Amino acid sequence: MSAIGELRTLRRDGRGGLTADQKQALAKERRRDSKAAAVFLAPWLLGLVGITIGPMIASLYLAFTDYNLLQDPNFTGLENIQRMLGDERLGRSLVATLTYVVVSVPIQLAVALGLALLLDRGIRGLALYRSVLYLPSLLGASVAIAVLWRLVFGGEGLVNAFLGLFGIQGPAWVAEPDTALGTLIVLHVWTFGAPMVIFLAGLRQIPRQYYDAASTDGANKWQQLRKITLPLLSPIIFFNLVLGLIGSFQSFTQAFIVSNGSGGPADSTLFFSLYLYQEGFAGFRMGYASALAWLLLIIIGAFTALNFWASKYWVFYDD
Amino acid sequence: MERRARRAALAGSALALSVSVAGCGIAPDPADAELSEGEVTLTMTWWGADARHQSTLDAIKLFEEKYPRITVEPTYADWGGYWDRLATTAAAGDMPDVVQFDQLYLSSYAGRGALLDLDAVPEFLDASSLPDNVLASGEVDGSLYAVPIGVAGNGVVLNTSLFEKYDVPVPDTDTWTWAEFDAAAQAITEASGGKVRGLSPFGADSFSLEVFARQHGDQIFDAEGDVTIDPATVAAYWQRELDWIESGAAPDAAALSEKAGVPLDQGDTVVGNTAMAFIAAGQFTAIAAAAPDFEYEVADWPADPDTPEGFQYPKPSMYWAASSQSEHPAEAALLIDFLVNDPQVARAFGTDRGIPASEAFQEALEPTLDEPARKLLDFTKLVGERSGDAPPITPNGASEIETMLSRYNQQVQFGKLSPQEAAAAFIEELQAAVDAAG
């Protein structure tokens, strides 16, 4: 029996009043439990302090320096922030990133929700479909898929071969400034599996009686979706939205591979994190890159806060 | 369930916000470098294509046979990821002991104290086999930080198989003018019905810009490291490219952008999409090796009667340098010494790193050369006869010149900026980067 299980037994037994011995045993159990908890948490805590918090504090300091990777940093006050104000590439990278986030996240969630609703109707072979549809989520962020994407959407790629069947001569999608970002949006939408699985789980939580009652009252499927499914699913939608926004703001791999690290053509796929990376590691301006990282944190924080604020008006908590 | 979802959303948001950072290192004094008593492991890194990886691994084996006490751990990469990784390892204080360098980054690293002063370890490294004017290109502020490995001009590579296939006569490259060059390129495009284009244009690398500038009596940097090139020269450089794209001599902007930055063996020259290209001639043998079905020649740039003489110059194709943070500076110097002086290394490397800078190496090499390497040697000798004084090496802070060039180049290609606008912006940005590092 686990420590926690024992504790439960003890608690149940102790409901009618505890003897001194029992109290002592209980306290001992608790101490042992918290020790166990500390041991189990340790790897995560070490990671959090060593890999996240520590570097964050360091980068906060570096954001106000001229750190160039090779020499000791000098404090330069607000110089990096001044630099941001006049930085044209930063502007272009913000536009590319915001376009990507604002377009791809809602579409991806809509696709995920639509498929989850379809799968939830209890079709045969659900497990298989679920796994197959989930697969792109596992692969989507990988280098291999980004390389594949480059080929699929290239001038001689699969997409154009397909369009060619209808006599359409498609452009080199990844190589045109007007379409390159679109291919990355499609790639992101394609990884709808993770939110879809969460939606599916959420749909399973909605009591069937609600639908039975609604049909008895004569509500059609559309009304049931609008009045029952969506409100009861809204916390899940919210959850997926928040994580989707944060994740896509930090997208890096896809743009890095598809544009060969340049954010091109003509900065059209210059995601924020890619620009930050270029500044830090190719331009030796790690101080500025650190400042950019904090700007990204602030932007994501603001979007997330806005999200939580707006959630009051559309997310329904059933309690 | 919902409460949990909300809490998870909060926790998730907190966790997902992560920020990057790097640490710093401390350098030992190279002057007290001496050989260690026991076993030593050196790390070494270079960029290149497959042929170079194999030949360098062979050279390392020879070194380890000569110095059984020393083990060399190699890492190698393609050009694309090489410099990002080097910057990261340098920042983390574990830059490899021996590093293959390019003149683009030499001042940036040496000027920031990341490289070992090779003048401080004369008892382990003797670079006197190299001509003084070549060795000078490895110096920053009067100290030797990098030993040039090979030299190469910038040449035009011609895929003569394609000329033959489409029945276009190969121009006389000894005397060709720009008009003849353009006509040949156009003829290829027309004869192949656009399937093959006449040429891959320049537009995105500092070597071709430098040679182009020298053809117009200009140069990118002055001796103080300031960007002194005339904006009109840069604009003309891009205008030339636009003309080629427009006439059909070159692939269109999208096709070029799709190939920008791909590894050498996927480039248009190797896969036979274009019949001519401007290359750092050191790449010639790698191109020939990657495309065994094609025959290639390498030739000097076209020149008009009014083009100044001596626009070519032998640019060190790459260097060996050592890390100032190395725990074994003496052994690192020993390895560089071996790599630049041992005739076995000359034979292992062949001409993959350009024609060796040292004459002893050239002699050791000559009997073993295959067809492409012989062509490269001939070209290098030709460049040697025709070349003028070398321009100053890329100054500290200007290592981004390549990425800037390719960025502005794309904006020009896609009509987002005119060549004049791009030239002005490019020069301003480059000068700012130099100033910031100063």
Side-chain angles (χ1 to χ4, degrees), chain B residues 23-163:
Chain B
C24 336
I26 305 152
D29 184 4
D32 1 298
E34 53 182 54
L35 293 175
S36 309
E37 300 278 315
E39 302 268 314
V40 168
T41 302
L42 287 178
T43 50
M44 173 182 174
T45 186
W46 65 88
W47 74 87
D50 285 345
R52 180 173 307 159
H53 301 328
Q54 199 47 57
S55 68
T56 315
L57 292 174
D58 291 345
I60 287 176
K61 214 170 284 165
L62 293 169
F63 177 76
E64 288 173 339
E65 274 163 25
K66 186 168 175 191
Y67 300 97
R69 213 170 41 73
I70 307 177
T71 312
V72 180
E73 273 179 12
T75 50
Y76 39 91
D78 200 49
W79 170 271
Y82 182 80
W83 295 103
D84 297 347
R85 187 155 76 184
L86 190 64
T88 320
T89 53
D94 56 3
M95 183 166 148
D97 299 302
V98 174
V99 184
Q100 182 178 305
F101 244 83
D102 186 88
Q103 64 91 24
L104 259 187
Y105 291 91
L106 187 51
S107 299
S108 292
Y109 276 81
R112 289 164 181 155
L115 299 184
L116 182 69
D117 179 355
L118 298 177
D119 285 334
V121 284
E123 60 269 48
F124 309 109
L125 169 60
D126 174 15
S128 59
S129 62
L130 298 171
D132 284 347
N133 62 344
V134 173
L135 210 51
S137 67
E139 289 177 358
V140 177
D141 299 331
S143 300
L144 184 71
Y145 284 100
V147 181
I149 303 170
V151 290
N154 197 295
V156 176
V157 59
L158 297 96
N159 184 333
T160 49
S161 308
L162 288 178
F163 275 88

Side-chain angles (χ1 to χ4, degrees), chain A residues 67 89 150 155 175 250 265-266 277, chain B residues 16 23 84 254 257-258 407 410 414:
Chain A
Y67 183 45
R89 289 196 84 204
R150 214 182 136 77
Q250 299 180 86
Y277 173 81
Chain B
D84 297 347
S257 117
E258 200 177 346
R407 180 150 44 80
Q410 283 190 332
F414 287 105

Side-chain angles (χ1 to χ4, degrees), chain A residues 21 52 55 69 86 159 166 224 254 300 315:
Chain A
D21 271 0
T52 307
L69 286 177
V159 170
F166 305 98
Q224 289 181 15
Q254 300 89 329
I300 296 178
V315 177

Side-chain angles (χ1 to χ4, degrees), chain B residues 101-345:
Chain B
F101 244 83
D102 186 88
Q103 64 91 24
L104 259 187
Y105 291 91
L106 187 51
S107 299
S108 292
Y109 276 81
R112 289 164 181 155
L115 299 184
L116 182 69
D117 179 355
L118 298 177
D119 285 334
V121 284
E123 60 269 48
F124 309 109
L125 169 60
D126 174 15
S128 59
S129 62
L130 298 171
D132 284 347
N133 62 344
V134 173
L135 210 51
S137 67
E139 289 177 358
V140 177
D141 299 331
S143 300
L144 184 71
Y145 284 100
V147 181
I149 303 170
V151 290
N154 197 295
V156 176
V157 59
L158 297 96
N159 184 333
T160 49
S161 308
L162 288 178
F163 275 88
E164 207 168 299
K165 182 175 175 192
Y166 295 111
D167 210 16
V168 175
V170 179
D172 177 3
T173 54
D174 264 344
T175 59
W176 61 351
T177 62
W178 281 106
E180 286 165 20
F181 173 81
D182 290 356
Q186 204 121 351
I188 291 278
T189 302
E190 279 159 22
S192 69
K195 204 171 149 280
V196 172
R197 300 296 175 130
L199 65 95
S200 296
F202 47 56
D205 72 287
S206 59
F207 195 5
S208 69
L209 176 61
E210 187 80 83
V211 175
F212 183 88
R214 288 161 67 96
Q215 280 210 338
H216 294 79
D218 206 347
Q219 63 181 11
I220 304 177
F221 302 104
D222 68 4
E224 278 71 50
D226 284 322
V227 188
T228 52
I229 191 169
D230 186 346
T233 310
V234 184
Y237 172 73
W238 279 322
Q239 187 58 51
R240 183 76 59 91
E241 179 192 30
L242 286 184
D243 292 346
W244 285 326
I245 292 173
E246 195 163 325
S247 72
D252 62 28
L256 290 173
S257 117
E258 200 177 346
K259 289 289 189 177
V262 298
L264 179 137
D265 57 0
Q266 295 163 29
D268 280 335
T269 323
V270 169
V271 299
N273 285 345
T274 56
M276 296 187 281
F278 299 89
I279 58 162
Q283 295 180 339
F284 180 71
T285 48
I287 290 173
D293 296 340
F294 293 126
E295 284 281 326
Y296 292 99
E297 294 288 339
V298 56
D300 198 358
W301 280 36
D304 290 330
D306 59 347
T307 304
E309 300 261 309
F311 60 82
Q312 280 284 3
Y313 67 99
K315 185 186 150 199
S317 50
M318 51 198 80
Y319 304 80
W320 293 119
S323 163
S324 63
Q325 298 159 352
S326 172
E327 283 171 30
H328 308 289
E331 280 83 359
L334 215 53
L335 175 55
I336 296 178
D337 181 78
F338 182 81
L339 291 171
V340 294
N341 288 320
D342 195 297
Q344 297 178 83
V345 172

